[in-house]
Short mmCIF file of all heavy atoms in Angstrom, two decimals:
data_model
loop_
_atom_site.label_atom_id
_atom_site.label_comp_id
_atom_site.label_asym_id
_atom_site.label_seq_id
_atom_site.Cartn_x
_atom_site.Cartn_y
_atom_site.Cartn_z
N SER A 278 251.38 -100.13 -37.52
CA SER A 278 250.34 -101.16 -37.50
C SER A 278 250.57 -102.11 -36.33
O SER A 278 251.04 -103.22 -36.52
CB SER A 278 250.36 -101.94 -38.81
OG SER A 278 251.68 -102.33 -39.10
N ASP A 279 250.26 -101.62 -35.15
CA ASP A 279 250.45 -102.46 -33.95
C ASP A 279 249.58 -103.71 -34.03
O ASP A 279 250.01 -104.81 -33.77
CB ASP A 279 250.17 -101.66 -32.68
CG ASP A 279 249.16 -100.55 -32.90
OD1 ASP A 279 248.40 -100.63 -33.89
OD2 ASP A 279 249.13 -99.62 -32.10
N THR A 280 248.31 -103.53 -34.42
CA THR A 280 247.50 -104.72 -34.66
C THR A 280 247.03 -104.61 -36.09
O THR A 280 246.27 -103.74 -36.44
CB THR A 280 246.24 -104.74 -33.76
OG1 THR A 280 245.53 -103.53 -34.00
CG2 THR A 280 246.60 -104.84 -32.32
N CYS A 281 247.54 -105.51 -36.90
CA CYS A 281 247.17 -105.47 -38.31
C CYS A 281 245.85 -106.19 -38.48
O CYS A 281 245.80 -107.41 -38.52
CB CYS A 281 248.27 -106.12 -39.12
SG CYS A 281 248.62 -105.22 -40.59
N LEU A 282 244.77 -105.45 -38.52
CA LEU A 282 243.44 -106.07 -38.65
C LEU A 282 243.23 -107.13 -37.60
O LEU A 282 242.89 -108.26 -37.92
CB LEU A 282 243.29 -106.71 -40.03
CG LEU A 282 243.38 -105.78 -41.21
CD1 LEU A 282 243.12 -106.56 -42.48
CD2 LEU A 282 242.36 -104.69 -41.09
N GLY A 283 243.49 -106.79 -36.36
CA GLY A 283 243.14 -107.70 -35.28
C GLY A 283 244.08 -108.89 -35.13
O GLY A 283 243.66 -109.97 -34.77
N GLY A 284 245.36 -108.69 -35.34
CA GLY A 284 246.28 -109.80 -35.05
C GLY A 284 247.61 -109.58 -35.71
O GLY A 284 247.74 -108.78 -36.61
N ARG A 285 248.62 -110.27 -35.24
CA ARG A 285 249.92 -110.20 -35.89
C ARG A 285 249.81 -110.88 -37.23
O ARG A 285 249.15 -111.90 -37.35
CB ARG A 285 251.00 -110.93 -35.06
CG ARG A 285 251.20 -110.42 -33.68
CD ARG A 285 251.66 -108.98 -33.58
NE ARG A 285 252.66 -108.60 -34.56
CZ ARG A 285 252.74 -107.37 -35.07
NH1 ARG A 285 251.88 -106.44 -34.71
NH2 ARG A 285 253.66 -107.10 -35.95
N TRP A 286 250.49 -110.36 -38.20
CA TRP A 286 250.48 -111.00 -39.50
C TRP A 286 251.43 -112.16 -39.50
O TRP A 286 252.60 -111.99 -39.22
CB TRP A 286 250.94 -110.01 -40.56
CG TRP A 286 249.80 -109.33 -41.15
CD1 TRP A 286 249.40 -108.05 -40.92
CD2 TRP A 286 248.86 -109.90 -42.05
NE1 TRP A 286 248.27 -107.79 -41.63
CE2 TRP A 286 247.92 -108.89 -42.33
CE3 TRP A 286 248.72 -111.14 -42.65
CZ2 TRP A 286 246.85 -109.10 -43.20
CZ3 TRP A 286 247.67 -111.36 -43.50
CH2 TRP A 286 246.74 -110.33 -43.77
N SER A 287 250.95 -113.34 -39.81
CA SER A 287 251.89 -114.42 -40.05
C SER A 287 251.29 -115.41 -41.03
O SER A 287 250.09 -115.63 -41.06
CB SER A 287 252.26 -115.12 -38.75
OG SER A 287 251.12 -115.68 -38.15
N PHE A 288 252.15 -115.94 -41.89
CA PHE A 288 251.75 -116.98 -42.83
C PHE A 288 252.51 -118.22 -42.44
O PHE A 288 253.73 -118.17 -42.30
CB PHE A 288 252.12 -116.59 -44.27
CG PHE A 288 251.23 -115.53 -44.83
CD1 PHE A 288 251.55 -114.19 -44.70
CD2 PHE A 288 250.06 -115.86 -45.48
CE1 PHE A 288 250.73 -113.20 -45.22
CE2 PHE A 288 249.23 -114.88 -46.01
CZ PHE A 288 249.57 -113.55 -45.87
N ASP A 289 251.83 -119.34 -42.26
CA ASP A 289 252.49 -120.56 -41.80
C ASP A 289 253.38 -120.27 -40.60
O ASP A 289 254.51 -120.75 -40.51
CB ASP A 289 253.35 -121.18 -42.93
CG ASP A 289 252.50 -121.49 -44.14
OD1 ASP A 289 251.32 -121.80 -43.95
OD2 ASP A 289 253.02 -121.43 -45.27
N ASP A 290 252.88 -119.44 -39.71
CA ASP A 290 253.62 -119.08 -38.49
C ASP A 290 254.94 -118.36 -38.72
O ASP A 290 255.77 -118.28 -37.83
CB ASP A 290 253.87 -120.33 -37.62
CG ASP A 290 252.54 -120.88 -37.12
OD1 ASP A 290 251.61 -120.07 -36.96
OD2 ASP A 290 252.44 -122.10 -36.91
N VAL A 291 255.15 -117.84 -39.91
CA VAL A 291 256.32 -116.99 -40.14
C VAL A 291 255.86 -115.55 -39.94
O VAL A 291 254.93 -115.11 -40.61
CB VAL A 291 256.85 -117.16 -41.58
CG1 VAL A 291 258.04 -116.23 -41.81
CG2 VAL A 291 257.23 -118.60 -41.84
N PRO A 292 256.49 -114.84 -39.00
CA PRO A 292 256.04 -113.45 -38.79
C PRO A 292 256.34 -112.58 -40.02
O PRO A 292 257.36 -112.76 -40.67
CB PRO A 292 256.87 -112.98 -37.59
CG PRO A 292 257.97 -113.95 -37.43
CD PRO A 292 257.57 -115.23 -38.10
N MET A 293 255.40 -111.70 -40.32
CA MET A 293 255.53 -110.87 -41.52
C MET A 293 255.72 -109.41 -41.14
O MET A 293 255.21 -108.96 -40.13
CB MET A 293 254.28 -111.00 -42.38
CG MET A 293 253.93 -112.41 -42.81
SD MET A 293 255.25 -113.23 -43.69
CE MET A 293 255.04 -112.52 -45.29
N LYS A 294 256.43 -108.71 -41.99
CA LYS A 294 256.64 -107.29 -41.77
C LYS A 294 255.74 -106.52 -42.73
O LYS A 294 255.82 -106.71 -43.95
CB LYS A 294 258.11 -106.98 -42.05
CG LYS A 294 258.52 -105.56 -41.77
CD LYS A 294 260.03 -105.42 -41.90
CE LYS A 294 260.38 -104.94 -43.30
NZ LYS A 294 261.82 -104.82 -43.54
N PRO A 295 254.83 -105.67 -42.20
CA PRO A 295 253.90 -104.95 -43.09
C PRO A 295 254.57 -103.79 -43.81
O PRO A 295 255.30 -103.00 -43.19
CB PRO A 295 252.82 -104.46 -42.12
CG PRO A 295 253.50 -104.35 -40.81
CD PRO A 295 254.60 -105.37 -40.79
N LEU A 296 254.31 -103.68 -45.09
CA LEU A 296 254.86 -102.59 -45.91
C LEU A 296 253.73 -101.94 -46.69
O LEU A 296 252.61 -102.45 -46.73
CB LEU A 296 255.86 -103.15 -46.94
CG LEU A 296 257.03 -103.99 -46.48
CD1 LEU A 296 257.71 -104.63 -47.68
CD2 LEU A 296 258.03 -103.15 -45.71
N ARG A 297 254.09 -100.84 -47.34
CA ARG A 297 253.24 -100.29 -48.39
C ARG A 297 254.12 -100.23 -49.63
O ARG A 297 255.28 -99.82 -49.56
CB ARG A 297 252.73 -98.89 -48.05
CG ARG A 297 251.75 -98.85 -46.88
CD ARG A 297 250.43 -99.54 -47.22
NE ARG A 297 249.51 -99.59 -46.11
CZ ARG A 297 249.43 -100.61 -45.25
NH1 ARG A 297 250.24 -101.64 -45.36
NH2 ARG A 297 248.55 -100.60 -44.27
N THR A 298 253.56 -100.66 -50.74
CA THR A 298 254.30 -100.64 -52.00
C THR A 298 253.66 -99.61 -52.91
O THR A 298 252.47 -99.70 -53.20
CB THR A 298 254.28 -102.04 -52.66
OG1 THR A 298 254.95 -102.96 -51.78
CG2 THR A 298 255.00 -102.02 -54.00
N VAL A 299 254.45 -98.62 -53.29
CA VAL A 299 253.96 -97.55 -54.15
C VAL A 299 254.36 -97.88 -55.58
O VAL A 299 255.50 -98.28 -55.82
CB VAL A 299 254.60 -96.20 -53.73
CG1 VAL A 299 254.22 -95.09 -54.71
CG2 VAL A 299 254.17 -95.83 -52.31
N MET A 300 253.44 -97.77 -56.51
CA MET A 300 253.80 -97.99 -57.91
C MET A 300 253.06 -97.04 -58.83
O MET A 300 251.94 -96.63 -58.55
CB MET A 300 253.53 -99.44 -58.32
CG MET A 300 252.29 -100.04 -57.76
SD MET A 300 252.23 -101.82 -58.07
CE MET A 300 251.28 -102.35 -56.67
N ILE A 301 253.73 -96.70 -59.90
CA ILE A 301 253.11 -95.87 -60.94
C ILE A 301 253.05 -96.70 -62.21
O ILE A 301 254.07 -97.20 -62.67
CB ILE A 301 253.90 -94.56 -61.15
CG1 ILE A 301 253.83 -93.76 -59.85
CG2 ILE A 301 253.36 -93.81 -62.36
CD1 ILE A 301 253.59 -92.29 -59.96
N VAL A 302 251.83 -96.87 -62.73
CA VAL A 302 251.60 -97.75 -63.86
C VAL A 302 251.03 -96.91 -65.01
O VAL A 302 250.07 -96.17 -64.80
CB VAL A 302 250.58 -98.85 -63.47
CG1 VAL A 302 250.33 -99.80 -64.62
CG2 VAL A 302 251.05 -99.60 -62.23
N PRO A 303 251.60 -97.03 -66.21
CA PRO A 303 251.04 -96.29 -67.35
C PRO A 303 249.62 -96.77 -67.65
O PRO A 303 249.37 -97.98 -67.67
CB PRO A 303 251.98 -96.65 -68.52
CG PRO A 303 253.20 -97.22 -67.88
CD PRO A 303 252.79 -97.82 -66.58
N ALA A 304 248.72 -95.83 -67.88
CA ALA A 304 247.31 -96.19 -68.11
C ALA A 304 247.16 -97.07 -69.34
O ALA A 304 246.27 -97.92 -69.40
CB ALA A 304 246.46 -94.93 -68.25
N ASP A 305 248.05 -96.91 -70.31
CA ASP A 305 247.87 -97.71 -71.53
C ASP A 305 248.30 -99.17 -71.34
O ASP A 305 248.15 -100.00 -72.23
CB ASP A 305 248.57 -97.07 -72.73
CG ASP A 305 250.05 -96.82 -72.46
OD1 ASP A 305 250.60 -97.43 -71.52
OD2 ASP A 305 250.66 -96.02 -73.19
N GLY A 306 248.82 -99.48 -70.16
CA GLY A 306 249.17 -100.87 -69.87
C GLY A 306 248.04 -101.63 -69.19
O GLY A 306 248.15 -102.83 -68.90
N ILE A 307 246.95 -100.93 -68.92
CA ILE A 307 245.87 -101.53 -68.12
C ILE A 307 245.23 -102.73 -68.81
O ILE A 307 244.92 -103.73 -68.16
CB ILE A 307 244.79 -100.46 -67.80
CG1 ILE A 307 245.32 -99.50 -66.74
CG2 ILE A 307 243.50 -101.10 -67.30
CD1 ILE A 307 245.47 -100.05 -65.34
N ASN A 308 245.05 -102.66 -70.13
CA ASN A 308 244.40 -103.79 -70.81
C ASN A 308 245.19 -105.08 -70.68
O ASN A 308 244.63 -106.16 -70.48
CB ASN A 308 244.16 -103.46 -72.28
CG ASN A 308 243.08 -102.40 -72.43
OD1 ASN A 308 242.31 -102.17 -71.49
ND2 ASN A 308 243.03 -101.75 -73.58
N VAL A 309 246.51 -104.96 -70.77
CA VAL A 309 247.37 -106.13 -70.61
C VAL A 309 247.21 -106.69 -69.20
O VAL A 309 247.10 -107.91 -68.99
CB VAL A 309 248.85 -105.75 -70.86
CG1 VAL A 309 249.76 -106.94 -70.63
CG2 VAL A 309 249.02 -105.21 -72.27
N ILE A 310 247.17 -105.79 -68.22
CA ILE A 310 247.00 -106.21 -66.82
C ILE A 310 245.66 -106.93 -66.64
O ILE A 310 245.58 -107.97 -66.00
CB ILE A 310 247.11 -105.00 -65.87
CG1 ILE A 310 248.53 -104.41 -65.93
CG2 ILE A 310 246.76 -105.40 -64.43
CD1 ILE A 310 248.70 -103.09 -65.19
N MET A 311 244.61 -106.38 -67.25
CA MET A 311 243.29 -107.00 -67.14
C MET A 311 243.28 -108.42 -67.74
O MET A 311 242.67 -109.33 -67.20
CB MET A 311 242.22 -106.15 -67.85
CG MET A 311 241.94 -104.82 -67.18
SD MET A 311 241.27 -105.01 -65.53
CE MET A 311 242.33 -103.91 -64.63
N ASP A 312 243.97 -108.58 -68.87
CA ASP A 312 244.03 -109.91 -69.50
C ASP A 312 244.75 -110.90 -68.59
O ASP A 312 244.34 -112.04 -68.44
CB ASP A 312 244.75 -109.83 -70.85
CG ASP A 312 243.89 -109.11 -71.89
OD1 ASP A 312 242.66 -108.98 -71.66
OD2 ASP A 312 244.44 -108.65 -72.92
N LYS A 313 245.84 -110.45 -67.96
CA LYS A 313 246.57 -111.32 -67.05
C LYS A 313 245.71 -111.69 -65.86
O LYS A 313 245.72 -112.83 -65.38
CB LYS A 313 247.85 -110.63 -66.57
CG LYS A 313 248.90 -110.53 -67.64
CD LYS A 313 250.26 -110.33 -67.00
CE LYS A 313 251.34 -110.77 -67.97
NZ LYS A 313 252.68 -110.60 -67.42
N LEU A 314 244.97 -110.70 -65.37
CA LEU A 314 244.07 -110.93 -64.24
C LEU A 314 243.03 -111.98 -64.58
O LEU A 314 242.72 -112.85 -63.77
CB LEU A 314 243.34 -109.62 -63.91
CG LEU A 314 243.82 -108.83 -62.71
CD1 LEU A 314 242.87 -107.68 -62.45
CD2 LEU A 314 243.91 -109.71 -61.49
N LYS A 315 242.50 -111.86 -65.79
CA LYS A 315 241.48 -112.81 -66.24
C LYS A 315 242.03 -114.24 -66.19
O LYS A 315 241.40 -115.14 -65.67
CB LYS A 315 241.08 -112.47 -67.69
CG LYS A 315 239.64 -112.04 -67.83
CD LYS A 315 239.31 -111.67 -69.28
CE LYS A 315 239.46 -110.17 -69.47
NZ LYS A 315 239.19 -109.71 -70.83
N ASP A 316 243.24 -114.40 -66.73
CA ASP A 316 243.86 -115.73 -66.74
C ASP A 316 244.09 -116.22 -65.31
O ASP A 316 243.87 -117.38 -64.99
CB ASP A 316 245.22 -115.69 -67.46
CG ASP A 316 245.05 -115.39 -68.94
OD1 ASP A 316 243.89 -115.51 -69.42
OD2 ASP A 316 246.03 -115.04 -69.59
N TYR A 317 244.55 -115.31 -64.47
CA TYR A 317 244.91 -115.68 -63.10
C TYR A 317 243.68 -116.07 -62.28
O TYR A 317 243.71 -117.02 -61.51
CB TYR A 317 245.63 -114.50 -62.46
CG TYR A 317 245.87 -114.64 -60.98
CD1 TYR A 317 246.83 -115.53 -60.49
CD2 TYR A 317 245.16 -113.84 -60.06
CE1 TYR A 317 247.06 -115.65 -59.13
CE2 TYR A 317 245.39 -113.97 -58.71
CZ TYR A 317 246.35 -114.86 -58.24
OH TYR A 317 246.57 -114.97 -56.88
N LEU A 318 242.59 -115.35 -62.49
CA LEU A 318 241.43 -115.54 -61.63
C LEU A 318 240.40 -116.53 -62.17
O LEU A 318 239.46 -116.89 -61.50
CB LEU A 318 240.74 -114.20 -61.33
CG LEU A 318 241.57 -113.24 -60.45
CD1 LEU A 318 240.88 -111.90 -60.37
CD2 LEU A 318 241.77 -113.80 -59.05
N SER A 319 240.57 -116.90 -63.45
CA SER A 319 239.52 -117.80 -63.97
C SER A 319 239.98 -119.27 -63.91
O SER A 319 241.13 -119.56 -63.82
CB SER A 319 239.17 -117.42 -65.39
OG SER A 319 240.34 -117.31 -66.16
#
């Protein structure tokens, strides 16, 4: 990622290192995740 969406990534001028995070989540945990999302986003 030489140009990450048109610019170097930095937050508060701290340079960031781009990664990809791979995760495997059990499908039966989705409802709990949705509830947490609701709380977080509302």
Side-chain angles (χ1 to χ4, degrees):
S278 49
D279 28 21
T280 56
C281 222
L282 298 184
R285 301 298 320 148
W286 267 105
S287 61
F288 286 91
D289 301 329
D290 295 331
V291 178
M293 303 304 280
K294 184 172 95 182
L296 305 169
R297 292 292 177 268
T298 297
V299 174
M300 39 190 151
I301 296 222
V302 181
D305 55 18
I307 287 289
N308 290 342
V309 177
I310 295 171
M311 291 298 130
D312 289 342
K313 288 201 157 179
L314 257 187
K315 245 178 264 179
D316 294 345
Y317 171 73
L318 292 173
S319 51

